[in-house]
Every structure is written in structure tokens, then in C-alpha cells.
Amino acid sequence: MTSLTLQAPAKVNLTLDILGARPDGYHEMEMVMQSVSLCDAVTLDLGDPGGIRAESGLHFLPKDKDNLAVAAALAFREAAGQDWQDLRITIQKEIPVCAGTAGGSSDAAAVLRGLNTLTGAGFSPQELARVGEAVGSDVPYCVLGGTALAQGRGEILTPLKPLPPCHIVLCKPAFSISTPALFREWDKQKRRLRPDTQGAMAALDQGDLVALGRRMFNVFEGVLPSQQRREIEGIKTALIQAGALGAAMSGSGPTVLGLFDREDLAQAAADRLKETYAEVFLTQPV
Ligand code: C5P
């Protein structure tokens, strides 16, 4: 048996825009993505008898191929033309579940990276990202990580200049949102606020956190049911009043992120939000 433990970082969206619906049922996206220091730990025990399964200690997470980590292992085995039968994937969850922060996709990406090392398959990071495409739209980004523009379904990735040193507060309200339902709502609505993606990329290029903060926006915020939208707006306002340079919902939500240049303000904002919300995290870009 060979074993390996990997970190699986959460991702946030600094911007999220939808350019249109596609004939294949997906949507054409344009998103500025960032990985952050909040991580799951994923341990692979290759050869541990019992088939390919995922264990997390969370009863509501599937153990079989409905878990993205297991789906990634199956996709990897097929792409590599290998025939091993036994893999125990142990996931120590720190990233909130169903939160718009790619926890499941990041676990899947960690499985791909880990199996590449353990089996000596020799895929390049780009090849590994391609293996992840079939597993989920965010998996290719999670394989590569860092600061990137994601286009297409999310699989066309262009690395961007890393964020200058900063602090990102994450706050997840208690409700959960169905990603397909949110896309369907976007399909129905006509007038939409959109992020300035080009402006955000220019701000990143110049290392200008203030200009970046002003351009953070997620098009899904405009199509949320009104009660959820009010709660998201409330968290964004609290973050801005606490000194955030910008705030937006991440992915299909409901996690909200606030961008800070000062750690003391970020810490104070996180402490304040913890009075109301159970899942609040102070992170840095990675
Ligand atoms: O690829 P993934 O399984 O993460 O996508 C979940 C759902 O989100 C898809 O079934 C689809 O309804 C929607 N989606 C989309 N366009 C994308 C990514 C996801 O419509 N680019």
C-alpha cells in the first residue's frame, strides 16, 4: 500500500459572469478565480482493500462515485490505462459543503494530483486538468489553482498575475443554493448587472487591490430569490463597513468574500461576522 496526504484549497470568485447559454446545457462563463488558504486534507491509501471509496466522517457526503473525489479516481484510472482496484480516500473537511467555494472540486483535483504522484503516471498539470473536465466544471481550475481567468464551461484557463499580499474573509450563511436552479433563473431573467471582468484583470495586472475590490461582482447575485439576496447584501455591507475593499458572492453561493489589504481589519470583520454566522474564515490567497 502507498499513501499520500495532500492539501485541497478552497477557491473564490473575484468576478463571475455568464456570457450565454450553450447548446450542450452548460453556460459560457468568464470568471476571475483565486485559491485561498482554507484547505481540506485528502489522504490517499492506494491498495487499501475495499474498492474505491471516499470517507469523510460526514454522513451526508456520498462514499461512491457520486462523490467527486471517487469520480476523479475513476477518471484518472481510465485516462492512465491502469487497473488497480483499491483506493481509500479520506477527506478531512474544512471547506464548507455546497458553499460556492469548490470544496468537492478541490478534493477531486487533489485526488488527481495525488494519484499522478503515487502511480507515476506522469501527466503534466495541463493533462491532469483535462482529465478533470469530465468530473466537474471547476475541477480543471482546482488542479492548477492560483489566480486565473476561467472561460468556456470553466475549463479554459489563463493564469493571471498573483494577487498582492491581502486577506480574504469568507462568510457562509446557513441556506444552500442549487447551482442548476440558479442557472435556470439566470436563463429566465433579461436585465442583469454584470461585472467589469476586463477592469478586474487590469487591476490585477497593476497589483491595484483598491481597483480590484471595486470591480468584484457575481452575476448570480442578481438572480437570487429576494430573501437570500437580502442576506447576501447584508453580509457584503457588513464587510465593506468593516473596511473591505470589495465584497461579492463566490460561485453559485452562498459564501460571500471580502477583500482586505489590512489584516487587523479583516480579523475584526471576521470576529464581528462570527457573532451571527457559524462558518466564517480568515484566509489568504495561495
Ligand atoms: O460541471 P458541474 O457538474 O459542476 O455543473 C453543475 C451544473 O451547473 C450543470 O449540470 C449545469 O446545470 C450547471 N453549469 C452550467 N454551466 C457551466 C457550469 C455548470 O450551466 N459552465
Side-chain angles (χ1 to χ4, degrees):
M1 190 174 86
T2 47
S3 302
L4 187 62
T5 297
L6 303 99
Q7 290 200 323
K11 75 95 216 226
V12 293
N13 288 88
L14 296 168
T15 67
L16 187 153
D17 198 8
I18 305 173
L19 304 185
R22 309 184 352 169
D24 63 2
Y26 285 86
H27 291 75
E28 203 65 22
M29 310 299 292
E30 195 166 64
M31 313 181 272
V32 177
M33 319 273 258
Q34 176 65 52
S35 43
V36 295
S37 53
L38 174 65
C39 288
D40 290 344
V42 177
T43 299
L44 305 180
D45 293 304
L46 183 62
D48 186 276
I52 303 175
R53 73 278 188 202
E55 293 167 8
S56 65
L58 298 176
H59 65 89
F60 50 86
L61 287 187
K63 293 183 164 53
D64 61 6
K65 61 180 171 19
D66 289 338
N67 188 310
L68 293 184
V70 173
L74 294 168
F76 178 92
R77 189 178 64 173
E78 188 178 333
Q82 298 172 347
D83 61 1
W84 43 266
Q85 298 298 320
D86 295 310
L87 173 69
R88 182 172 65 185
I89 305 167
T90 311
I91 304 170
Q92 193 186 322
K93 270 269 157 227
E94 304 293 339
I95 305 172
V97 177
C98 294
T101 46
S105 301
S106 190
D107 297 341
V111 169
L112 295 176
R113 286 187 277 111
L115 286 174
N116 201 34
T117 303
L118 283 178
T119 68
F123 287 120
S124 69
Q126 284 70 22
E127 288 168 334
L128 220 46
R130 219 165 301 135
V131 176
E133 275 178 35
V135 180
S137 301
D138 277 346
V139 178
Y141 165 75
C142 289
V143 169
L144 303 174
T147 313
L149 176 70
Q151 294 169 296
R153 251 179 73 199
E155 83 287 12
I156 304 170
L157 295 161
T158 310
L160 300 173
K161 215 183 213 183
L163 275 178
C166 60
H167 307 274
I168 296 176
V169 173
L170 307 183
C171 175
K172 182 192 168 287
F175 61 88
S176 61
I177 301 177
S178 151
T179 303
L182 217 46
F183 274 111
R184 280 197 299 276
E185 195 53 40
W186 183 90
D187 290 336
K188 277 195 245 154
Q189 296 197 7
K190 288 279 170 285
R191 246 185 293 137
R192 305 162 184 125
L193 285 172
R194 311 233 342 245
D196 172 13
T197 310
Q198 291 304 320
M201 291 195 332
L204 270 173
D205 200 46
Q206 289 155 16
D208 185 343
L209 281 177
V210 173
L212 176 64
R214 285 207 196 103
R215 287 166 178 81
M216 286 168 60
F217 186 67
N218 178 339
V219 79
F220 280 134
E221 289 172 37
V223 301
L224 289 171
S226 55
Q227 178 139 3
Q228 298 181 349
R229 191 173 175 174
R230 270 198 295 278
E231 189 157 1
I232 297 297
E233 284 300 326
I235 298 170
K236 284 175 62 171
T237 303
L239 285 162
I240 297 290
Q241 285 175 347
L245 303 173
M249 190 170 82
S250 182
S252 56
T255 301
V256 177
L257 66 138
L259 178 72
F260 291 81
D261 53 356
R262 280 178 47 185
E263 184 172 11
D264 57 338
L265 295 182
Q267 183 68 63
D271 290 345
R272 189 76 195 273
L273 285 164
K274 277 180 192 164
E275 292 169 12
T276 310
Y277 294 99
E279 294 180 283
V280 178
F281 307 91
L282 176 54
T283 71
Q284 288 78 40
V286 292

